[in-house]
Every structure is written in C-alpha cells, then in structure tokens.
Amino acid sequence: MSTSANKKKLVIGNWKMNGSSAANAALLRGLLPVISSFERVEIALCPPYPYLATVADLLDDSDVVLGAQNLSTELSGAHTGEVSGSMLGDIGCRFVLVGHSERRALYGEDDACVAKKFATALQAGLIPVLCVGETLAQRQSGETQTVVTTQLHAVLKAVGIDELAKGVIAYEPVWAIGTGETATPEQAQAVHRHIRQWLADHDCVAADCRILYGGSVKADNAERLFNQPDIDGGLIGGASLDAMSFAAICEAAQAKPTI
Ligand code: PEP
C-alpha cells in the first residue's frame, strides 16, 4: 500500500527553543527567497511562542505556513503560562505539534495528555501533528510497532478515526532525534507502512493521511528517506535552523512527490 497519487510532500521545521528576533529574521532572509519557488512541497515553520507573531508577518508574502510547537490541553481561563489552540489560530498558526518526544520525556506528557491536546487542536481549527516513536531500548527489545500503535490508539480512543485522520502523523524514533543517528530509509519505511496499515485497519482512507519522518533528517539523507513510498515528508529539528540545509531538504521533498 502506498499513498495517493502526486500528493505534495509536507516539510515542517521545528525550531525548538532556539532563535532570537535577529537570528530568526536572518534565517528567513536566507531561506524564503530560495524556497518560495518550491511549488511542489508544502512547508511549515514552528518557531517558539514569543516569535510566532513576528514570524507570521515575515511569512506573509510567502506560501510557507506557520505552526506552533505545543498548545494547552485547556480551552481558556485560569491556566497561567499556558497558550490555547484558539490563540494560536488567532495569530495565524495552521499546524501544531503534539506529543513531541521531548514533551513526553521532559514534561511528563502521557498518552492521555497528548490525546487531549490533539482533540483541542482540532477544536481550534488547527492541524495537529501527532508525534509517535520508540526509544532505543524499545526498538532493541522488538517493541517498536507496539509502542507506536499504543500511542496512536490513545488518540483514536479520544477522538475516533475520522478526527484522527484530520491530523498529520510524524514517526520520530526517539533515538534518532537530535542525535545525528537517522533511521535507515528501510527502517523508517517499515514503521510508516505499519502506521498506514493500522489506519487502513481502522477503516481510514489511509492513502490520504500524511505520515512524516523525523529524526536527524539532513540535506544528505533527505532524498533517500523521501523516496520511500510511505514517507510523505519530514519533521526537521536541527537542520531547520540552517537556511541552506533546510532549503535542500525542502528541495529533496519537492523532487519526490508521493506516488
Ligand atoms: C525534532 O525535533 O522533531 C527532530 C526530528 O529533531 P532533529 O531533526 O534535530 O533530529
């Protein structure tokens, strides 16, 4: 099973907790002139919260869309320090990451919390990007598919398959994030195929769902990853902070529309 014909790939840059007003402006000055001619790939950038509005302005004349790295489980009210999905939509976000492994590992976000954030994002009209993936120990003990399925199932249970399919899924093996160690194209493809089959088994039009790969994607490995039939694009951390690297990854994605 592969994805539907000639679907544009999606590449999302996750800047994590990096940047400054000056650094972001410089990055976009280098990046936007290059990627603005890429019409066969959808591109999104997820800056830290304080820079969202400024980056939204800087992206105004481009086709690059805005995303956020996180959102509150709550809709509004007495939740000091939290940011709601509707606020993110209000300032122009289209996507929001949920369940990134750093949030799961460092900030105690369990499957129930991730599922609530996924539902809240949809309620706010955002497209949630659901991150799933196994640790090295889980891979080594043969649990990869079970871990990924359990993470997907938590969201399925909360929102149902039709709502789940409105999001994007990002397979991000934890051992490959920020480590320089990338899943081989074959390893990534195997998990992507498993996810797509899982979607199909739940009566979803699996071919229409976008499944991104994330984990040390760089300019020199992007093309081989994007060439896999079930990889619909990438979620890019470190390499999204360098204009030329990120542009090269986007170029690799547009050169490989999903067949
Ligand atoms: C990420 O933060 O989602 C990620 C994949 O990071 P990196 O590309 O740096 O591994």
Side-chain angles (χ1 to χ4, degrees), residues 8-248:
K8 270 188 190 180
K9 280 190 162 54
L10 168 64
V11 177
I12 302 179
N14 171 18
W15 291 359
K16 310 196 188 197
M17 197 170 71
N18 293 295
S20 65
S21 302
N24 300 343
L27 176 56
L28 293 176
R29 261 199 312 276
L31 184 62
L32 292 178
V34 186
I35 63 176
S36 55
S37 61
F38 295 172
E39 288 173 355
R40 286 174 287 117
V41 57
E42 198 178 342
I43 302 169
L45 295 175
C46 301
Y49 283 151
Y51 303 121
L52 281 169
T54 316
V55 172
D57 285 344
L58 293 170
L59 296 182
D60 226 13
D61 293 329
S62 80
D63 290 332
V64 179
V65 300
L66 194 66
Q69 298 174 19
N70 188 24
L71 83 165
S72 176
T73 52
E74 307 305 319
L75 297 179
S76 67
H79 298 283
T80 302
E82 291 290 283
V83 174
S84 72
S86 63
M87 291 172 185
L88 296 175
D90 192 30
I91 60 163
C93 287
R94 172 111 176 268
F95 294 97
V96 62
L97 308 185
V98 299
H100 190 281
S101 66
E102 289 155 14
R103 303 284 328 160
R104 291 181 192 260
L106 304 175
Y107 298 95
E109 294 193 4
D110 60 12
D111 281 345
C113 168
V114 172
K116 194 158 182 216
K117 288 189 174 191
F118 189 100
T120 306
L122 284 178
Q123 221 174 319
L126 300 168
I127 301 174
V129 180
L130 171 64
C131 303
V132 297
E134 81 288 2
T135 63
L136 185 58
Q138 289 165 332
R139 171 163 283 266
Q140 286 170 341
S141 56
E143 292 173 81
T144 299
Q145 294 197 355
T146 311
V147 169
V148 166
T149 304
T150 304
Q151 291 170 336
L152 291 170
H153 204 82
V155 176
L156 175 75
K157 210 172 82 189
V159 302
I161 193 66
D162 292 344
E163 295 294 286
L164 190 151
K166 289 179 184 164
V168 171
I169 296 170
Y171 168 56
E172 297 211 301
V174 178
W175 48 273
I177 296 179
T179 59
E181 182 135 358
T182 319
T184 65
E186 294 73 25
Q187 283 173 321
Q189 165 60 21
V191 181
H192 280 237
R193 175 157 298 232
H194 167 72
I195 294 170
R196 207 176 296 284
Q197 187 60 56
W198 181 89
L199 290 165
D201 291 346
H202 288 85
D203 297 328
C204 179
V205 185
D208 291 345
C209 290
R210 282 188 292 191
I211 309 173
L212 311 184
Y213 170 77
S216 296
V217 179
K218 308 280 181 229
D220 61 2
N221 60 23
E223 187 178 343
R224 282 182 303 125
L225 287 159
F226 296 156
N227 214 10
Q228 298 300 312
D230 288 293
I231 297 185
D232 302 314
L235 177 53
I236 318 298
S240 70
L241 297 170
D242 178 84
M244 287 308 113
S245 298
F246 189 66

